[in-house]
Amino acid sequence: MSIFLGFMAALLWGIHDFFVRIVTRQIHIYTAIVIVFFASSLLLLALIWSADVSLEIKSGGIMLGCLSGMTFAAATVALYNAFALGPVRVVASIIGAYPIFSVILAFLQGANIRLEQMLAVLAVIIGVSFVASGSDKSYQQQGQPKAILWSVIACLAFSVCFHLGQAAATLAHILALNLIVRSSALIILLIFGFFKLNFQNLNLKILPYLVFLAILDTLALALVTGAGHFRDPQYASVAASTFGMMTIILAWIFLKERLSGQQWLAVSVVFGAILFLGL
């Protein structure tokens, strides 16, 4: 079940990133992130109210949720900055390696991880990186050192975020937990980036896209966090790391962007490795 949840999250994030291409051409990236996080918080509040969800949170749930939200905010900002600065082949390869740290954190907490499972995780990471590198059309080196730094920050932040969220999954209802994560992420963004916000000339036609992105992002994070209820939740993070590959496949379907035979082979290896982890 953890693999399935992670795979569905990857699909949602893949669609999310596909539409980000449209949104970021018409609005400042940081402003878009804040609006998406705000809309996500409103969506979660509406769901909690309509479903009459219990807001009871066990000891430690609020702290873990807030820490997860803080790292999610850092990861999101770092990801957008990395992709804005550096070649996709470099950025995607570094950020896509975050499952390694997720698995290491799970191992340190006593999870039983076999050698063949670790090899499957490496196959996923290498396969995703290969697909992304083959789709990179940018050869400029300007800004690459900063892109690498942002990529490393995003990689570490995503692994910690998912680990903390899964650890808190049994301490509160999934909607209540994700409201804590989202609202704390939004607060962090507003504190550290208030003066970066620019709502001037905001085209109202773009708002439906931002709300759609909020829905996708909220559902995806809830799925990865919810894997904490099931066996081997760290593999949900592994499956979710294929979101970049999902975006590339969607671009192939809708934008007719070409994928080579070697890239399709890498896609097959990635899906095969994920299926192996799910056995």
Side-chain angles (χ1 to χ4, degrees), residues 199-272:
F199 295 103
Q200 293 180 350
N201 301 322
L202 178 61
N203 189 346
L204 294 181
K205 292 181 179 179
I206 204 68
L207 289 179
Y209 284 103
L210 295 174
V211 173
F212 182 56
L213 292 179
I215 294 172
L216 293 172
D217 196 30
T218 302
L219 289 174
L221 184 60
L223 288 170
V224 176
T225 304
H229 288 283
F230 302 98
R231 184 171 62 92
D232 295 327
Q234 67 273 11
Y235 295 138
S237 299
V238 176
S241 71
T242 63
F243 67 88
M245 189 179 71
M246 294 293 186
T247 305
I248 293 169
I249 293 175
L250 288 170
W252 169 73
I253 295 172
F254 295 104
L255 300 180
K256 309 302 179 183
E257 294 186 4
R258 184 176 175 274
L259 286 176
S260 67
Q262 291 177 323
Q263 285 176 295
W264 279 118
L265 178 61
V267 169
S268 301
V269 170
V270 168
F271 284 126

Side-chain angles (χ1 to χ4, degrees), residues 52-233:
D52 195 23
V53 170
S54 172
L55 295 178
E56 180 183 357
I57 301 173
K58 296 180 182 178
S59 176
I62 294 178
M63 182 185 70
L64 287 173
C66 288
L67 289 174
S68 181
M70 292 168 63
T71 52
F72 187 64
T76 303
V77 172
L79 180 145
Y80 278 104
N81 276 290
F83 276 113
L85 288 170
V88 174
R89 69 181 188 277
V90 175
V91 173
S93 299
I94 296 174
I95 296 177
Y98 76 79
I100 286 290
F101 297 100
S102 298
V103 173
I104 290 174
L105 287 171
F107 177 77
L108 292 176
Q109 288 200 327
N112 181 25
I113 299 172
R114 304 189 304 274
L115 175 61
E116 59 269 27
Q117 290 174 317
M118 196 61 175
L119 291 175
V121 172
L122 289 174
V124 172
I125 294 170
I126 294 171
V128 170
S129 298
F130 184 84
V131 174
S133 65
S135 300
D136 185 28
K137 300 296 187 294
S138 172
Y139 297 95
Q140 63 182 18
Q141 299 299 314
Q142 186 177 4
Q144 185 166 315
K146 289 184 178 180
I148 292 174
L149 177 60
W150 281 116
S151 299
V152 171
I153 293 172
C155 175
L156 294 173
F158 272 126
S159 62
V160 174
C161 167
F162 295 153
H163 183 75
L164 292 172
Q166 290 169 354
T170 58
L171 302 178
H173 190 281
I174 195 66
L175 292 179
L177 174 62
N178 275 272
L179 178 61
I180 295 174
V181 172
R182 287 285 166 176
S183 56
S184 58
L186 177 60
I187 291 171
I188 290 296
L189 288 174
L190 290 175
I191 290 175
F192 290 98
F194 180 80
F195 294 104
K196 294 183 181 180
L197 296 177
N198 181 11
F199 295 103
Q200 293 180 350
N201 301 322
L202 178 61
N203 189 346
L204 294 181
K205 292 181 179 179
I206 204 68
L207 289 179
Y209 284 103
L210 295 174
V211 173
F212 182 56
L213 292 179
I215 294 172
L216 293 172
D217 196 30
T218 302
L219 289 174
L221 184 60
L223 288 170
V224 176
T225 304
H229 288 283
F230 302 98
R231 184 171 62 92
D232 295 327

